[in-house]
Structures are given as C-alpha cells and as structure tokens.
C-alpha cells in the first residue's frame, strides 16, 4: 500500500515537471525517466534534482518514511532502458552500506567485492541472554556493533540480512511470537540500505519483547520449567550446575538464579536434588539395583552424600527404604 502511495505522489508531482515519466518495476521499485533535448538554457540535472528532492520531501511529510534514489547514467535510445535498469538494480545493492539517500551511477563503475558472513562466536548466546533479560539497550548495542563490523568487512548485503533474519526467527520461535512472520522476513529481504534493515530488525525485536516475554514479577514461566525438567531428565548422570542450565536456556546465570528462586521458592540446587530424589524413589524399588548404582546413575559419585540428600527429602535412608519396599 505504501508502494502505491509513493507511486501516486510521484505521478502527481510529475505533472508539474515536463518530460518526467513514472513507471513501476518488477520488485516494488519505481523508475523515473526524464526525456529531454540538449539545451544550453536548461540545466536538466538541476531540473531533475529539484524533482527528486521535492518527491523525497513529500513522501517524508505524508508517509513518514525515507526513500532512496539512484541516478543512472544518461543513454541515447529507448532500447538501452532495459540494460540501464538492470545495471541500476545491481548498483543500488552496492550502495547498501551507504548512509546517503541518493546515489549516482556512472557508466563505468567497479563492482564491489563482498564476503560471506563469518562465524560469530558467542554472539547468538549473548543476544539470547540480553533478550531474556529484556535488555533492549544491550540488544541494540550488539546488533549495531555487528552491523558496523559487517560494513567494515564488506559482508555481502544478502548474507548480512539473512543472518539477522535467522536471529529474529530464533527469537520468534523461542518466544512463540508469530505475528506476520512471513511478511516481515520478506520485507526485510527487500530492504535496500543497512540502516533500513537495522530499523526493521530492532522494531521487530522490541515488539516481540513487549508482547511475548513475561514481566519480571512472573519470573520464569511454566514452559521454561518444563524445559528445565526435561534437561534434568536427559542429564541425570551428570552433576547439573546452575551455569550449565542457564547456558542451555540462553540466560545469564545470575538472572536465572534470582528469578528461578523467586518463582519456585527454592534455589536451583535444591530443585535438582528434589527432582532426582523423586526418580530415586522409583529406581530403589528395583531389587536388581544397588544404592551405589542408583547414586551413580543420578550423578552422585559419593554414596554417603547421596544417602544424606535422599534422607533429607524422604525422611528415611535409601538402605532402609529399600529394605522396607522389599518387604512390602
């Protein structure tokens, strides 16, 4: 809808500028063609500049958006339009990292050499932690820093956009946010300048935070508790630490510890022990399994410590409980 609004503004404005024709492209872009005869009394470049400046101003005032323009080189015949438009489309992509709203293509311009996205060690985890802590300032800072580094390293715009799109999809999936996902990512792929891409991404993340992440007073939701229980069950023979589960959930350990206790009323170590002792109650009924075997299978290398924890939660030692269950 915005596309056609821009088109209508350009069409209306062209009525006041003789020789300018507005027509649509295949990929939601507009083309402006000026047809003129050489005349020393008319500065055609200044004439066209006034038109584009007026168009940008009206679009900015009426639609509250910024449009980007690229001037093509001059050509002599209508038969050259197709080639000029294709070169214009390619050149426009090469201006992705520019901050100017207007670019000028010469007839002989060098093609930029772009590189693929390099692996970002730890960045995804940091983004997830900041996201779950609802720290929009940290998210914005990390993404902005990544964007500046990508521009300096001349990362392919397509690869850069794809990387940001992937991160946003992961955040959407993690939070269950599914509002117009396909539309957003399609529009993101169509962004023509890095600053436009960043604006879309940060607005999207902000919207996800507002609508999908529970308030701090709610602590960790039930879905997270299910994920924690599942993780414990899948790592029973390990010494599960607060740091390991926090990393698994992409959370800062101190944040995780604070809000886990706020929700459950107990610290994480007690929660793990209680979960394992519930499993131990069932395992110990098996006559073929010794207390030592059960302790090892539940991640307790010291039988004495296992017995102490078992008695703490069940009020009876594992040996006595095993003897009692064997008689019943």
């Amino acid at each position: 809808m915005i596309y056609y609004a821009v088109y209508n503004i350009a069409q209306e404005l062209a009525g006041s500028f003789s020789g300018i024709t507005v027509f649509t492209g295949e990929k939601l872009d507009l083309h402006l063609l000026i047809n003129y005869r050489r005349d020393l009394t008319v500065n055609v470049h200044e004439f066209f500049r006034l038109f584009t400046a007026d168009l940008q101003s009206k679009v900015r005032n009426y639609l509250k958006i910024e449009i980007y323009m690229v001037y093509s080189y001059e050509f002599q015949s209508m038969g050259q339009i197709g080639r000029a438009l294709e070169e214009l489309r390619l050149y426009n992509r090469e201006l992705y990292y520019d901050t100017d709203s207007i670019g000028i293509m010469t007839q002989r311009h060098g093609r930029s050499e772009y590189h693929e996205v390099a692996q970002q060690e730890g960045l995804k985890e940091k983004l997830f932690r900041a996201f779950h802590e609802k720290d929009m300032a940290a998210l914005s800072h990390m993404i902005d820093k990544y964007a500046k580094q990508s521009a300096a390293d001349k990362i392919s715009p397509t690869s850069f956009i794809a990387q940001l799109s992937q991160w946003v999809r992961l955040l959407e999936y993690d939070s269950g946010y599914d509002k117009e996902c396909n539309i957003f990512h399609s529009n993101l792929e169509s962004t023509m300048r890095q600053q436009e891409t960043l604006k879309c991404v940060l607005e999207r993340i902000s919207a996800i935070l507002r609508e999908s992440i529970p308030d701090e007073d709610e602590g960790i939701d039930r879905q997270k508790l299910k994920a924690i229980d599942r993780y414990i069950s899948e790592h029973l023979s390990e010494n599960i630490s607060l740091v390991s589960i926090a990393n698994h959930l992409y959370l800062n350990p101190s944040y995780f510890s604070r809000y886990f206790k706020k929700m459950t009323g107990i610290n994480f170590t007690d929660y793990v022990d209680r979960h394992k002792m519930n499993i131990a109650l069932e395992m110990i009924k098996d006559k073929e399994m010794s207390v030592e075997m059960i302790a090892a299978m539940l991640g307790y290398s010291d039988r004495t410590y296992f017995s102490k924890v078992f008695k703490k939660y069940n009020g009876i030692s594992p040996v006595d409980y095993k003897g009692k269950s064997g008689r019943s």
Side-chain angles (χ1 to χ4, degrees):
M1 187 171 292
I2 290 179
Y3 171 73
Y4 291 106
V6 175
Y7 173 77
N8 289 333
I9 292 174
Q11 279 280 48
E12 182 178 347
L13 190 60
S16 304
F17 287 79
S18 177
I20 293 180
T21 303
V22 182
F23 59 99
T24 59
E26 296 180 356
K27 298 185 177 181
L28 293 182
D29 48 7
L30 295 178
H31 302 300
L32 308 174
L33 179 67
I34 180 168
N35 186 22
Y36 67 95
R37 293 179 181 275
R38 294 192 179 278
D39 187 341
L40 295 178
T41 63
V42 178
N43 187 332
V44 69
H45 296 288
E46 179 63 15
F47 178 76
F48 197 50
R49 188 196 67 78
L50 290 174
F51 172 82
T52 54
D54 201 0
L55 176 59
Q56 285 183 314
S57 177
K58 289 183 181 298
V59 169
R60 191 180 300 116
N61 291 335
Y62 296 149
L63 303 179
K64 308 303 180 185
I65 62 172
E66 192 70 45
I67 57 175
Y68 301 96
M69 296 187 176
V70 181
Y71 289 107
S72 170
Y73 54 80
E74 297 180 35
F75 48 87
Q76 303 298 320
S77 68
M78 297 296 289
Q80 294 177 289
I81 290 181
R83 177 184 174 185
L85 289 179
E86 178 60 21
E87 291 185 8
L88 199 60
R89 184 185 66 80
L90 294 174
Y91 182 67
N92 191 26
R93 202 55 166 168
E94 294 189 20
L95 297 176
Y96 179 77
Y97 290 111
D98 283 13
T99 56
D100 294 334
S101 60
I102 295 179
I104 300 176
M105 181 180 72
T106 59
Q107 193 157 7
R108 293 183 178 181
H109 65 275
R111 296 290 299 277
S112 299
E113 291 187 8
Y114 287 120
H115 309 289
E116 295 304 308
V117 173
Q119 291 295 324
Q120 299 297 316
E121 295 295 335
L123 181 55
K124 184 177 76 172
E125 288 75 13
K126 291 178 182 177
L127 286 170
F128 265 80
R129 287 175 184 171
F131 178 77
H132 284 287
E133 292 172 16
K134 298 197 294 186
D135 192 343
M136 192 62 205
L139 283 164
S140 180
H141 174 73
M142 282 187 279
I143 291 174
D144 184 63
K145 184 178 179 181
Y146 172 68
K148 289 178 179 177
Q149 188 61 51
S150 296
D153 294 342
K154 296 189 74 65
I155 298 300
S156 159
T158 301
S159 298
F160 174 77
I161 294 172
Q163 179 64 83
L164 290 183
S165 179
Q166 181 189 51
W167 286 339
V168 173
R169 284 188 186 278
L170 289 173
L171 296 179
E172 289 170 341
Y173 177 79
D174 181 74
S175 60
Y177 188 85
D178 59 358
K179 288 189 177 180
E180 300 182 332
C181 287
N182 291 334
I183 294 175
F184 167 77
H185 290 282
S186 176
N187 290 339
L188 190 66
E189 291 176 5
S190 301
T191 53
M192 299 307 299
R193 297 292 185 275
Q194 188 187 50
Q195 55 195 10
E196 183 186 7
T197 304
L198 295 178
K199 182 174 182 292
C200 290
V201 167
L202 293 175
E203 287 179 351
R204 182 69 170 182
I205 293 176
S206 180
I208 298 172
L209 281 175
R210 286 196 306 271
E211 299 189 28
S212 300
I213 300 298
D215 293 334
E216 289 184 349
D217 290 340
E218 296 178 23
I220 304 168
D221 58 18
R222 292 184 181 276
Q223 190 173 0
K224 283 288 187 294
L225 277 178
K226 289 181 180 179
I228 291 169
D229 289 343
R230 185 167 57 250
Y231 182 88
I232 295 172
S233 298
E234 292 173 353
H235 299 80
L236 284 176
S237 62
E238 301 174 16
N239 181 19
I240 302 171
S241 67
L242 182 143
V243 173
S244 64
I245 189 67
N247 288 337
H248 175 70
L249 297 173
Y250 299 109
L251 295 172
N252 178 278
S254 60
Y255 170 88
F256 174 74
S257 175
R258 186 166 64 252
Y259 289 105
F260 183 88
K261 187 169 184 178
K262 189 173 183 179
M263 178 183 180
T264 63
I266 61 176
N267 63 45
F268 180 69
T269 300
D270 287 339
Y271 185 85
V272 173
D273 284 338
R274 181 177 294 179
H275 186 96
K276 288 188 174 184
M277 290 309 108
N278 287 334
I279 296 174
L281 282 173
E282 297 302 316
M283 295 175 70
I284 212 164
K285 294 176 183 178
D286 188 338
K287 296 179 180 180
E288 301 298 322
M289 299 185 70
S290 66
V291 173
E292 288 81 0
M293 290 173 60
I294 296 171
M297 292 178 69
L298 293 177
Y300 297 93
S301 57
D302 186 342
R303 172 185 165 162
T304 302
Y305 179 70
F306 169 75
S307 298
K308 181 180 178 181
V309 174
F310 187 94
K311 188 172 184 178
K312 174 183 176 181
Y313 290 102
N314 299 308
I316 187 174
S317 72
V319 173
D320 291 341
Y321 184 84
K322 191 172 184 64
K324 182 179 178 181
S325 62
R327 291 192 298 270
S328 59

